[in-house]
Amino acid sequence: MRTQVGIVGAGPAGLLLSHMLARRGVDSVVVEARSRSYVEQRVRAGVLEHPTAELLRAEEVGERMDAQGMPHDGISLLFDDTCHHIDFADLVGRGIVVYGQQEVVKDLIAARLRDGGTIEFEAADVALHALTTDRPSITFTDTAGIAREIECDVVAGCDGFHGVSRRAFAPTVVERAYPFGWLGILAKAAPTRDELVYANSDRGFALYSMRSPHITRLYLQVPADEDAARWSDARIWDELGARLTGITLNEGPLLERPSVTGMRSMVAEPMRHGRLFLAGDAAHIVPPTGAKGMNLAVADVAVLADALEDLLRRGSSTGVDAYSATCLRRVWRAEHFSTFMTSMLHRYGPGSEHGDAFGRALQLSQLRYTVSSRAAATSLAENYTGLPHGGLA
């Protein structure tokens, strides 16, 4: 098989890149290790920044998002038993859209198949070859057990933290692990709030969010090595009530068993190796507190699609040569913001930098400043709703 761009990974990054390239007259093939049903059902991020939503509309894959997504003009910070509204619309003139990552994936798969795109699901033994030449390739075994090879001009590694792409070379990796995780539930219960609530409690962090007018998504801070099986439904709801003080909770049946998501930060530099370009979680991980994961992947793709169009249709390497540096400026801004939100909202254990009485007082001071200073609130709103794709100095 021959194509211009071989894409590893059918998450938001890989699928959106394939869609955008097709609209620019560039051929691609997507190779995905999981099944279509798996990637369409796995629950991940749910907050779309303003630039992300605008890009999906511009690329004509935002119709269902606009029909079913939930626009939000702000968030709330809950501390000292008081809920404080951060009004994004007033502060920066834009908001966010709550729309699940799996829904974005469904929309993109439907668009690619409708337009005749090729997605090879359940590909086994995926490997990358000749990445420093002008004829790299991807090999894999298909669902019939037949060995396949895709010859291409460029490979895009969009296969996440555990994928083969980042391991195909040796970028410099810097990372930070956090001593806590998020115990997450998805409940069949109508949300009682019209915006997300981030709670800093003496008992630990909690997040009130939603996925639709009928489904609530909620999180509790727990130790990083916590066993989710120790948490009964009753215990979860009781703890959510204790941390989300003053927030009415509609309790409903859980749509999936609770799971614990570990929290870490990771950046791999550079995001390019020869004709291999990393995008999304293959190149960077952020803690979910800042709602940046999927949005960073989309920002990478927005830059990469234009760069590959210039390379493959016009013969210009200017965009691909600048790709890594351009994306990393935005990545590090998002890492900083996500770290800021995480350190401001979570309880740290004894012996850590933020775990003593001094650190706790600093957290509360930052929270009080953020909700009382228009400048501080504007900075939070600007970062949360999303900075321009590839536009940072």
Side-chain angles (χ1 to χ4, degrees):
M1 186 185 303
R2 169 76 185 152
T3 192
Q4 289 175 287
V5 182
I7 300 173
V8 186
L15 291 167
L16 181 58
L17 178 62
S18 181
H19 175 76
M20 292 178 69
L21 289 174
R23 286 167 57 84
R24 289 155 173 77
V26 177
D27 295 330
S28 68
V29 172
V30 180
V31 177
E32 168 57 49
R34 302 284 192 167
S35 68
R36 177 178 178 179
S37 62
Y38 179 88
V39 299
E40 288 187 336
Q41 293 172 18
R42 58 184 171 189
V43 177
R44 293 290 189 270
V47 172
L48 305 186
E49 295 176 347
H50 177 77
T52 297
E54 289 291 280
L55 180 64
L56 294 177
R57 294 183 184 110
E59 297 296 332
E60 298 184 359
V61 284
E63 182 177 355
R64 202 163 68 94
M65 173 193 71
D66 284 331
Q68 300 180 17
M70 304 171 71
H72 287 196
D73 288 334
I75 60 171
S76 286
L77 300 178
L78 172 58
F79 62 96
D80 289 341
D81 296 329
T82 303
C83 222
H84 304 265
H85 176 56
I86 305 295
D87 191 332
F88 294 161
D90 173 60
L91 293 165
V92 295
R94 59 181 185 267
I96 58 171
V97 178
V98 173
Y99 188 63
Q101 175 174 314
Q102 74 275 19
E103 303 303 325
V104 174
V105 167
K106 290 175 187 175
D107 296 342
L108 290 168
I109 288 175
R112 291 307 299 125
L113 298 181
R114 176 200 67 207
D115 297 340
T118 301
I119 308 173
E120 298 282 351
F121 289 106
E122 299 181 76
D125 306 316
V126 178
L128 311 183
H129 310 275
L131 297 172
T132 57
T133 74
D134 59 2
R135 285 293 181 268
S137 65
I138 303 169
T139 57
F140 65 98
T141 303
D142 67 16
T143 54
I146 299 172
R148 305 275 298 281
E149 181 176 15
I150 302 173
E151 297 178 345
C152 44
D153 300 307
V154 167
V155 175
C158 307
D159 50 345
F161 181 79
H162 298 290
V164 301
S165 298
R166 183 168 54 87
R167 299 198 302 270
F169 69 112
T172 298
V173 175
V174 290
E175 52 191 329
R176 171 180 293 176
Y178 295 86
F180 39 74
W182 281 10
L183 177 76
I185 65 166
L186 199 66
K188 189 176 181 180
T192 60
R193 307 279 300 187
D194 57 5
E195 63 189 19
L196 280 68
V197 180
Y198 288 78
N200 178 309
S201 158
D202 288 340
R203 302 173 67 93
F205 169 79
L207 174 61
Y208 185 103
S209 67
M210 60 291 293
R211 286 295 180 269
S212 79
H214 311 288
I215 297 176
T216 308
R217 183 70 161 162
L218 302 135
Y219 295 95
L220 290 167
Q221 175 188 347
V222 295
D225 59 354
E226 183 68 277
D227 180 2
R230 297 180 58 244
W231 289 77
S232 66
D233 292 7
R235 183 186 177 192
I236 290 170
W237 288 112
D238 286 347
E239 190 63 26
L240 284 165
R243 297 189 193 186
L244 292 164
T245 53
I247 305 296
T248 300
L249 297 176
N250 279 340
E251 297 186 16
L254 304 190
L255 299 176
E256 60 183 22
R257 288 308 308 158
S259 60
V260 175
T261 301
M263 298 182 68
R264 64 181 182 274
S265 300
M266 183 278 292
V267 179
E269 299 188 41
M271 292 171 56
R272 176 189 183 182
H273 174 67
R275 287 294 183 102
L276 168 66
F277 298 85
L278 302 181
D281 286 359
H284 40 73
I285 301 286
V286 291
T289 326
K292 291 289 162 259
M294 177 172 57
N295 293 294
L296 274 182
V298 170
D300 291 346
V301 166
V303 176
L304 185 56
D306 288 343
L308 292 181
E309 180 186 11
D310 283 346
L311 177 69
L312 299 173
R313 297 200 64 197
R314 304 183 185 95
S316 172
S317 64
T318 301
V320 293
D321 290 343
Y323 170 72
S324 182
T326 299
C327 289
L328 284 169
R329 284 193 291 271
R330 196 178 196 275
V331 167
W332 278 113
R333 175 86 294 274
E335 292 283 0
H336 184 277
F337 178 68
S338 298
T339 301
F340 161 75
M341 291 285 285
T342 300
S343 63
M344 180 173 67
L345 291 164
H346 291 76
R347 294 305 308 273
Y348 287 74
S352 68
E353 180 183 356
H354 304 288
D356 57 10
F358 186 85
R360 177 62 176 155
L362 289 178
Q363 280 186 325
L364 292 173
S365 174
Q366 181 63 60
L367 283 162
R368 291 166 186 153
Y369 174 61
T370 299
V371 302
S372 62
S373 164
R374 186 174 181 87
T378 299
S379 177
L380 189 152
E382 182 181 54
N383 282 273
Y384 197 100
T385 59
L387 300 168
H389 292 160
L392 300 185

